[in-house]
Amino acid sequence: MSSHIPIGRKVTLNDIAAGCGVSRATVSLVLRGSPLVNKLTRARVEEELRRQGYVYNRAAANLRRRTSTSIALVLNDLANPFFAEFAAGVDEALAAAGFVTLLGCTGESPAREQAVLGSLLEHGPAGIILSPAEHSRAADVLAAVGRRAPLLLFNRELGGALPEFAHWDQLMLDNQHGARLATEHLLERGHRRIAFFGGHHDSSSCRQRHAGYAEAMRGAGLRTEPHWRIECAPTRLDAAHHTPALFAGAFAPTAAVCYNDAVALGLMLGLNQRGLRPGHDFALTGFDDIAEAALGMPPLTTLSAAPRERGGQAAELVLERLQQPQAASRQTVAPVRLIVRESSCPPPIT
Amino acid sequence: MSSHIPIGRKVTLNDIAAGCGVSRATVSLVLRGSPLVNKLTRARVEEELRRQGYVYNRAAANLRRRTSTSIALVLNDLANPFFAEFAAGVDEALAAAGFVTLLGCTGESPAREQAVLGSLLEHGPAGIILSPAEHSRAADVLAAVGRRAPLLLFNRELGGALPEFAHWDQLMLDNQHGARLATEHLLERGHRRIAFFGGHHDSSSCRQRHAGYAEAMRGAGLRTEPHWRIECAPTRLDAAHHTPALFAGAFAPTAAVCYNDAVALGLMLGLNQRGLRPGHDFALTGFDDIAEAALGMPPLTTLSAAPRERGGQAAELVLERLQQPQAASRQTVAPVRLIVRESSCPPPIT
DNA sequence: AGCTAATTTTGGATCGTTCCAAACCGGTAA
DNA sequence: TTACCGGTTTGGAACGATCCAAAATTAGCT
């Protein structure tokens, strides 16, 4: 009568079956809501399930059915708010579909990525969502994963040639289009001398963003100066450091499309140090829409990739792939949205 | 000879055994590095494992051994950088111990918390780390979890009476001591009229932080004014909104201990709007040391709970509990560290 | 060779579930 | 009486690993 809390060993189908004089198979049918069982037996069994506090053992069921209800989520950096949001989106969508998330973090190390993939695979996930570590190679990922689970690549491309039969799905951000939007926005505001600031040339996202910028400039019939493209690490500090390079040559730019928000915030610092007021004397845009972007001084015009929605989308893509294991691989490019704030002012009147 | 990628169904112990003319049991011994097997057979089996690209099926092993190699991590809000860091720390420590993280997010909803716990339990985790949703009740958590896995509560207390036999471990932050440190720091700087700003009175962490503040004020022989305690939602926006209340009465404070960093950053905005320069005309401290704290204008004096380390610690605690299921439950209080930055200036000379 | 001791190997039972073919049961038609 | 019919129920063999007692092999010593 009192609330019954199980104490000893785990309750199994056999215990329930014995408890209400019915066979194991029948209890199993009840659990899965089969229409075969008689109403009365069902009620009796359900009562007993409750009474004994039965918990379904999905591992055993999955073993027998040769199925899986987990998806591995392997991230390069969970501490990064962008990926944390993404993970939250993935988990939410997976949970809604009755799946469970197996988490793994690689900390940007390809070696740990290998270890993590190996360990997670032993738990037999139905699929894998992977945001690769920097410099992770396609061949290594293939060796670890093989054909054991469908893989969705998120956010980054893998290094090295992709073996022709590895039909991996991809979900990438529209870096190129995003950067073009930002550049066109600055052009509309009246800027003509626009720089592309920050990022490493060997990162695929940086190349794509620069391509979008170049496309917009070409589209407006504008030439660019070599010193309008500054390479630096995608951190605030390094960006602040490299600010003077922007003004080293003739034709100093009046605006900059930055590789990402961190770089843009760093550039703001650097501008302040030169006595330039970002958002007044110099315009700039970021990429990612991190939390600080909205609260900067001034608030930063940037591109939002809606990481939470991307997470949901990634989950959907993997789940769809489970339905259609043989379908052709899909390369999805997620749109990004321009968020206009005060940092993208018109050029100062000269 | 060419790199062999498995194509058809999964490779099992039987396949390996058949493949090199030895019994299933022997292969199992090899896998687990038993000293019983002969060197030569071991080599032969290992070669075959490699050749067929065998992947250990941990679910099957766990079923037979009645063990588990996963830990459930249930968080109220993964999008919050504090918890994201925490999760990264948990995952890192678990991975190092050969465990895998089962992730679940509740989005601050007790109902979803119930669902998530139920779903994760079906996968038979060896233990659970739970940062409860707001207003989650002890009785409900107990009903969901029972004795099926040891539970570690992180960061928050549960509502309602804790049934006497639920020996849950706890890992909490030293909110009270932290707030006292911040208050004493402001006192040392010369402040006498110090407010406690933000947070909801019904949250346990807010109560604890306020207690630390009150303790320090009492310790310095200072009385506090009623309007020095302002309640507001722990968000930037609401904090900015409530700023005027601080200056509504006589004896306006010259400094404020804020409930957390978000509130402190909001208060900075509110101060700016009143023409007060935070860090010059008014001192303030935060709590959490989020990324923005170091980069605010001015940088924010705050308390760091080192969320990543706390994650590692939480993992350790659960793993220790697995070793000693019967040991008395542990209530751990993690220290917090005062990070002094520019926002905690001395009071203006009057 | 003969016998014991030490070293390796192995067949079956088992974990908790699902699948499947067969059995059961009360009723109706032949 | 037998055959046959839905509608229900069931025993036993899987799934892929581990455990255990017993068997097979090898070594050591008269």
Side-chain angles (χ1 to χ4, degrees):
Chain A
M1 200 56 25
S2 72
S3 75
H4 187 92
I5 303 294
I7 268 199
R9 54 182 213 76
K10 274 170 190 156
V11 180
T12 77
L13 278 197
N14 270 321
D15 300 321
I16 305 299
C20 60
V22 80
S23 85
R24 201 169 57 251
T26 307
V27 182
S28 175
L29 289 175
V30 169
L31 279 179
R32 286 172 294 154
S34 158
L36 288 179
V37 303
N38 183 297
K39 266 201 168 98
L40 263 73
T41 17
R42 152 157 301 134
R44 240 175 49 233
V45 170
E46 277 172 349
E47 165 60 17
E48 187 71 12
L49 286 169
R50 213 173 3 260
R51 216 178 59 76
Q52 298 204 30
Y54 171 80
V55 178
Y56 189 67
N57 184 333
R58 217 167 268 279
N62 283 337
L63 173 60
R64 175 63 236 251
R65 305 181 56 192
R66 299 148 140 277
T67 55
S68 166
T69 48
S70 58
I71 300 284
L73 174 61
V74 182
L75 296 176
N76 50 317
D77 179 16
L78 188 59
N80 179 329
F82 178 81
F83 290 108
E85 277 276 0
F86 177 77
V90 168
D91 185 70
E92 185 174 40
L94 287 184
F99 281 74
V100 97
T101 310
L102 283 173
L103 183 66
C105 299
T106 65
E108 295 287 15
S109 148
R112 291 226 3 214
E113 184 173 290
Q114 286 291 106
V116 165
L117 284 173
S119 161
L120 290 182
L121 274 169
E122 292 188 350
H123 289 84
I128 305 177
I129 298 175
L130 169 67
S131 169
E134 255 185 279
H135 305 118
S136 169
R137 324 236 357 128
D140 296 333
V141 172
L142 182 64
V145 176
R147 288 270 163 103
R148 285 175 271 272
L151 182 75
L152 171 75
L153 277 179
F154 172 66
N155 190 49
R156 285 185 185 161
E157 285 163 8
L158 285 167
L162 196 87
E164 79 286 351
F165 62 92
H167 304 290
W168 289 329
D169 294 314
Q170 294 197 352
L171 174 59
M172 299 294 161
L173 304 183
D174 201 343
N175 288 311
Q176 180 161 350
H177 186 236
R180 204 179 84 191
L181 285 179
T183 313
E184 287 173 352
H185 166 66
L186 290 171
L187 288 167
E188 254 170 51
R189 285 280 208 248
H191 293 275
R192 286 296 169 268
R193 302 201 303 275
I194 307 176
F196 183 89
F197 188 79
H200 281 141
H201 292 12
D202 64 346
S203 111
S204 64
S205 56
C206 183
R207 276 200 312 275
Q208 291 164 356
R209 290 175 193 179
H210 182 266
Y213 152 82
E215 190 180 12
M217 292 297 275
R218 238 187 353 262
L222 293 172
R223 284 198 31 194
T224 59
E225 299 289 322
H227 72 283
W228 293 357
R229 178 171 194 181
I230 310 291
E231 181 168 13
C232 77
T235 67
R236 240 171 280 238
L237 206 62
D238 212 43
H241 240 241
H242 281 75
T243 307
L246 269 184
F247 305 97
F251 306 112
T254 62
V257 171
C258 296
Y259 167 65
N260 70 9
D261 287 353
V263 163
L265 293 172
L267 177 54
M268 282 193 192
L269 286 178
L271 291 169
N272 277 317
Q273 282 165 8
R274 294 182 71 85
L276 285 170
R277 288 164 306 164
H280 281 272
D281 313 322
F282 192 94
L284 69 175
T285 66
F287 212 115
D288 285 351
D289 194 27
I290 63 179
E292 290 114 302
L295 303 143
M297 302 273 277
L300 181 64
T301 293
T302 187
L303 291 142
S304 163
R308 191 180 205 96
E309 279 81 46
R310 296 291 81 74
Q313 188 176 14
E316 297 300 338
L317 285 170
V318 191
L319 295 177
E320 280 170 28
R321 162 69 46 193
L322 298 186
Q323 301 302 317
Q324 325 234 340
Q326 300 306 332
S329 75
R330 283 216 256 167
Q331 323 293 317
T332 311
V333 177
V336 296
R337 203 160 49 87
L338 182 71
I339 314 260
V340 176
R341 299 204 184 93
E342 297 164 32
S343 73
S344 52
C345 57
I349 303 131
T350 37
Chain B
M1 204 51 25
S2 72
S3 75
H4 188 92
I5 304 294
I7 269 198
R9 56 183 211 76
K10 276 169 190 156
V11 180
T12 77
L13 277 199
N14 271 320
D15 300 323
I16 305 299
C20 58
V22 80
S23 86
R24 198 169 60 253
T26 306
V27 182
S28 175
L29 289 175
V30 170
L31 280 179
R32 285 171 295 152
S34 158
L36 288 180
V37 302
N38 183 297
K39 268 203 165 100
L40 262 74
T41 17
R42 152 155 300 134
R44 236 172 55 229
V45 170
E46 276 172 348
E47 165 60 18
E48 187 71 12
L49 286 169
R50 217 176 355 265
R51 215 177 59 76
Q52 297 204 32
Y54 172 80
V55 178
Y56 189 68
N57 184 334
R58 218 166 268 279
N62 283 338
L63 174 60
R64 176 63 235 257
R65 306 183 54 192
R66 297 145 143 278
T67 54
S68 165
T69 47
S70 57
I71 300 284
L73 174 62
V74 182
L75 296 175
N76 50 318
D77 179 16
L78 188 59
N80 180 329
F82 178 81
F83 290 108
E85 277 275 0
F86 177 77
V90 169
D91 186 69
E92 186 175 38
L94 288 184
F99 281 74
V100 98
T101 311
L102 281 174
L103 183 67
C105 299
T106 64
E108 294 288 15
S109 150
R112 290 227 1 218
E113 184 173 289
Q114 286 290 106
V116 165
L117 283 172
S119 161
L120 291 182
L121 274 169
E122 292 187 350
H123 288 84
I128 305 178
I129 299 174
L130 169 66
S131 169
E134 256 185 279
H135 305 118
S136 170
R137 324 234 359 127
D140 296 333
V141 172
L142 181 66
V145 176
R147 287 271 163 101
R148 286 176 272 273
L151 181 76
L152 171 76
L153 277 179
F154 172 66
N155 190 51
R156 285 186 186 161
E157 284 163 9
L158 285 168
L162 195 87
E164 79 287 351
F165 62 92
H167 305 289
W168 289 328
D169 294 313
Q170 294 197 352
L171 174 59
M172 299 293 161
L173 303 183
D174 201 343
N175 288 310
Q176 180 161 350
H177 185 236
R180 205 180 84 190
L181 286 179
T183 314
E184 288 173 351
H185 167 66
L186 290 171
L187 288 166
E188 254 170 51
R189 286 277 208 249
H191 293 275
R192 286 297 167 267
R193 301 201 305 274
I194 307 176
F196 183 87
F197 188 80
H200 281 141
H201 293 13
D202 63 346
S203 111
S204 65
S205 56
C206 183
R207 276 200 312 274
Q208 291 164 356
R209 290 175 194 180
H210 182 264
Y213 152 84
E215 189 179 14
M217 292 298 275
R218 241 188 350 264
L222 294 172
R223 283 197 33 194
T224 58
E225 298 290 322
H227 71 281
W228 293 357
R229 178 170 193 184
I230 310 292
E231 182 169 12
C232 77
T235 66
R236 240 171 280 237
L237 206 62
D238 212 42
H241 240 242
H242 281 76
T243 306
L246 269 184
F247 305 98
F251 306 110
T254 62
V257 171
C258 296
Y259 166 65
N260 70 10
D261 288 353
V263 162
L265 293 173
L267 176 55
M268 283 193 191
L269 285 179
L271 290 170
N272 277 317
Q273 281 166 7
R274 293 181 71 84
L276 285 169
R277 289 165 305 164
H280 282 272
D281 313 322
F282 192 94
L284 70 175
T285 66
F287 212 113
D288 285 351
D289 194 27
I290 63 179
E292 289 114 303
L295 303 145
M297 302 273 275
L300 181 63
T301 293
T302 188
L303 290 142
S304 164
R308 191 180 205 97
E309 279 82 47
R310 295 292 81 74
Q313 189 177 13
E316 297 300 337
L317 285 170
V318 191
L319 295 177
E320 280 170 28
R321 162 68 47 193
L322 297 186
Q323 302 302 318
Q324 324 235 339
Q326 300 305 333
S329 75
R330 284 215 256 166
Q331 323 292 318
T332 310
V333 176
V336 296
R337 202 160 50 86
L338 182 71
I339 314 262
V340 177
R341 299 205 185 91
E342 296 164 32
S343 72
S344 52
C345 56
I349 304 131
T350 38

